[in-house]
Amino acid sequence: MIATAAPGTVRTRESSRRWRAVLLAAVAACAACGIIYELALLTLSASLDGGGIVATSLIVAGYIAALGAGALLVKPLLPRAAITFIGVEVLLGIVGGLSAAALYVTFAFIGGSLWVLALGTALIGGLVGAEVPLLMTLLQSGRVAGATDTGRMLADLTAADYLGALVGGLSWPFVLLPQLGMIRGAAATGIVNLVAAAVVSIFLLRRIVGARQLATALGALAAALGLLVTLLVGARGIETTSRQRLYADPIIAYRHSVYQEIVVTRRGNDLRLYLDGGLQFSTVDEYRYTESLVYPALGAGAHSVLVLGGGDGLAARELLRQPGVGQIVQVELDPVVIELARTTMRGANGGSLDNPRVHVVIDDAMRWLRGSDAGFDAVIVDLPDPDTPVLGRLYSTEFYGLVSQALAPDGLMVVQAGSPFSTRTAFWRTVSSVQAAGYAVTPYHVYVPTFGDWGFVLARRGSTAPVPSVPRDAPPLRFLNQRVLDAATVFSGDVAPRPLEPSTLDNPRIVEDIRHGYD
């Protein structure tokens, strides 16, 4: 005789499985939202404040500490786990969804956003930390599971939590940030967070809480949802107004790529490019910078030139003017910069990146160099200042060692090295790092009004330092001539050479140097 379970028992088990599946799905969704909030804070830190190692470490460590604090603080509320969970999700959706907008607006209108960043990290971490104890309590309640399978419940909960974190971690850089931007991306995440809480309320908690409590919870969720939908709709206006306050001139183009925030402004004939808020050039005086960067690297007559960075196309423009230069390889990481160079900035660069002599490669400079053994007559390293670890690796001794493999035996390399006045230590650190890679170097500097005193490093492999010179067949130049270049190699006492340890991949000293500025 075969025993069968009572129909009511079967229905109870099926209901329990459905309850568990929906609750675990909510766990995954909330975990995805939690990791997106943290990534949004890290992205904002990088875009608004430079996002150095210290700031990143504080955000990550503070978030993890807040997770533990939230788990402890929620303990007295565990007897009312159901309604507390809804309250936590409402708060998390609002705080997380508004975090990017609050940080951006604070930075634009007040100028300092560190306290908002710290507060947002603490609140989001604490609320996310409260989720797991609450969900575990719900899973172990009498209507869900017996106490005998606690380990199984914990395994399911942990798996759903980590899987959701994976989905959230991939969604931010590949979907939300490039498609919606920081403010709208965070708001959309908050909406997902609230929808997940609403699903739990409608399909699960109606069996646990009373009708009045359920109505209150749904009302709070609806109000929070309306707030975030309003933010999502009006985000572009908030972004435009806040962003324009950061720039003196009208913004004519804005992009937020996977790598950086790109802004182009124009006032009259003055076109300016900003990357993550840092000025890259002004058409009022960029010719001073560009001529000083390009022509000393050409020596007696370079034919092939490699440009690392310089996605604005200005270096390529000057190279195309130089007789004899027949091949230019332009390696730029961000395709959005190239797109803007070919459209919005075309008037400044003369359409140089569409010239058949210019071959544009979209790649990381260090990765591209590892796979290249071409012998270029000149290499121009025109990269943004190393104020982040990602850029710091491109100012390391190891990086310059890779560049040497791409140089012809008598080829010259020139590196934009920042200001020997306002970032003196960083400038001489670059000189030391190039020397440590086996080059003989000649530093020089010129005055660029929008930048101030600006320096470069001219280098050649071996022990004989190169003498900076303007090619005899150079086209007519607006700023650079041999007398100017000769004077450029002289440094006054307040910016005198300093022997420093090189910056390496293992110890990127230059990142902190440039953050400290003049010392």
Side-chain angles (χ1 to χ4, degrees):
M1 181 177 180
I2 301 175
T4 58
T9 303
V10 173
R11 283 194 296 271
T12 300
R13 290 175 180 173
E14 291 177 353
S15 176
S16 176
R17 281 195 288 269
R18 286 196 297 270
W19 167 282
R20 186 180 305 176
V22 173
L23 205 52
L24 289 175
V27 170
C30 293
C33 294
I35 199 70
I36 289 173
Y37 296 143
E38 184 182 9
L39 291 172
L41 291 174
L42 289 168
T43 305
L44 283 160
S45 173
S47 293
L48 302 182
D49 297 317
I53 290 294
V54 174
T56 300
S57 298
L58 286 174
I59 292 173
V60 174
Y63 183 80
I64 293 173
L67 290 175
L72 290 175
L73 292 173
V74 81
K75 286 171 66 175
L77 301 175
L78 292 180
R80 305 183 66 187
I83 198 65
T84 302
F85 173 75
I86 298 301
V88 165
E89 294 309 307
V90 169
L91 288 174
L92 185 58
I94 293 174
V95 173
L98 295 177
S99 60
L103 194 60
Y104 203 94
V105 170
T106 302
F107 181 82
F109 285 84
I110 299 178
S113 56
L114 184 60
W115 65 273
V116 179
L117 188 64
L119 181 62
T121 299
L123 287 176
I124 292 171
L127 291 168
V128 172
E131 287 178 329
V132 173
L134 291 169
L135 288 166
M136 192 66 191
T137 301
L138 289 174
L139 285 168
Q140 285 186 304
S141 66
R143 293 182 176 84
V144 180
T148 56
D149 60 350
T150 299
R152 193 174 303 156
M153 287 293 94
L154 183 59
D156 290 343
L157 186 64
T158 303
D161 190 59
Y162 289 167
L163 179 61
L166 173 63
V167 172
L170 295 176
S171 299
W172 178 251
F174 294 112
V175 180
L176 293 173
L177 183 59
Q179 298 298 324
L180 298 178
M182 287 183 287
I183 293 179
R184 297 173 70 215
T189 303
I191 290 173
V192 171
N193 207 153
L194 294 173
V195 168
V199 169
V200 173
S201 299
I202 294 171
F203 293 101
L204 303 179
L205 299 188
R206 57 180 177 165
R207 305 184 180 189
I208 298 177
V209 301
R212 179 176 298 178
Q213 287 182 314
L214 182 61
T216 301
L218 291 175
L221 286 169
L225 193 62
L227 176 64
L228 292 184
V229 169
T230 301
L231 174 61
L232 192 64
V233 172
R236 291 197 182 278
I238 296 173
E239 285 183 80
T240 301
T241 302
S242 300
R243 189 184 305 119
Q244 186 60 70
R245 285 187 63 90
L246 300 175
Y247 301 94
D249 301 329
I251 295 172
I252 62 170
Y254 167 79
R255 302 284 191 280
H256 200 300
S257 73
V258 174
Y259 305 104
Q260 58 202 340
E261 182 182 70
I262 308 161
V263 171
V264 182
T265 68
R266 182 193 294 277
R267 185 178 295 277
N269 294 324
D270 185 8
L271 184 79
R272 299 188 176 205
L273 169 67
Y274 297 84
L275 299 180
D276 282 338
L279 177 64
Q280 303 304 303
F281 75 81
S282 165
T283 50
V284 169
D285 57 15
E286 60 80 13
Y287 63 91
R288 283 178 165 243
Y289 172 93
T290 309
E291 292 176 4
S292 301
L293 173 75
V294 169
Y295 290 99
L298 301 182
H303 175 72
S304 59
V305 182
L306 170 64
V307 182
L308 301 175
D312 51 37
L314 300 177
R317 178 200 68 198
E318 290 301 317
L319 289 170
L320 291 170
R321 297 179 64 210
Q322 175 63 30
V325 173
Q327 178 193 12
I328 303 167
V329 176
Q330 175 88 49
V331 180
E332 166 63 42
L333 175 65
D334 196 339
V336 180
V337 174
I338 297 296
E339 173 203 334
L340 288 172
R342 285 173 164 159
T343 53
T344 307
M345 296 182 281
R346 190 179 187 87
N349 61 44
S352 60
L353 299 185
D354 291 324
N355 190 287
R357 284 185 285 165
V358 179
H359 175 55
V360 176
V361 177
I362 304 298
D363 203 350
D364 173 75
M366 181 170 279
R367 181 170 55 236
W368 187 86
L369 286 169
R370 290 177 68 90
S372 174
D373 57 359
F376 291 92
D377 299 322
V379 176
I380 296 172
V381 184
D382 187 21
L383 298 165
D385 292 337
D387 54 1
T388 69
V390 173
L391 290 169
R393 57 195 273 274
L394 303 180
Y395 283 77
S396 65
T397 293
E398 292 89 344
F399 177 75
Y400 299 125
L402 288 173
V403 173
S404 71
Q405 299 175 18
L407 267 176
D410 294 324
L412 293 173
M413 174 182 72
V414 67
V415 179
Q416 89 79 14
S419 173
F421 183 80
S422 60
T423 54
R424 182 177 64 175
T425 303
F427 175 80
W428 293 111
R429 183 84 67 189
T430 301
V431 175
S432 298
S433 300
V434 175
Q435 284 179 311
Y439 293 86
V441 303
T442 301
Y444 62 101
H445 60 133
V446 298
Y447 180 69
V448 182
T450 53
F451 287 168
D453 188 23
W454 208 258
F456 307 86
V457 183
L458 185 66
R460 173 189 286 129
R461 289 187 294 175
S463 58
T464 304
V467 178
S469 62
V470 179
R472 293 182 178 179
D473 58 348
L477 303 180
R478 297 175 64 186
F479 169 71
L480 196 66
N481 57 47
Q482 193 57 49
R483 292 180 63 189
V484 169
L485 196 51
D486 290 340
T489 61
V490 178
F491 288 82
S492 58
D494 59 344
V495 293
R498 300 175 60 184
L500 297 169
E501 291 293 319
S503 187
T504 64
L505 292 177
D506 177 63
N507 193 342
R509 298 178 176 92
I510 196 169
V511 177
E512 287 306 309
D513 292 339
I514 206 161
R515 288 181 176 279
H516 292 155
Y518 184 85
D519 55 23

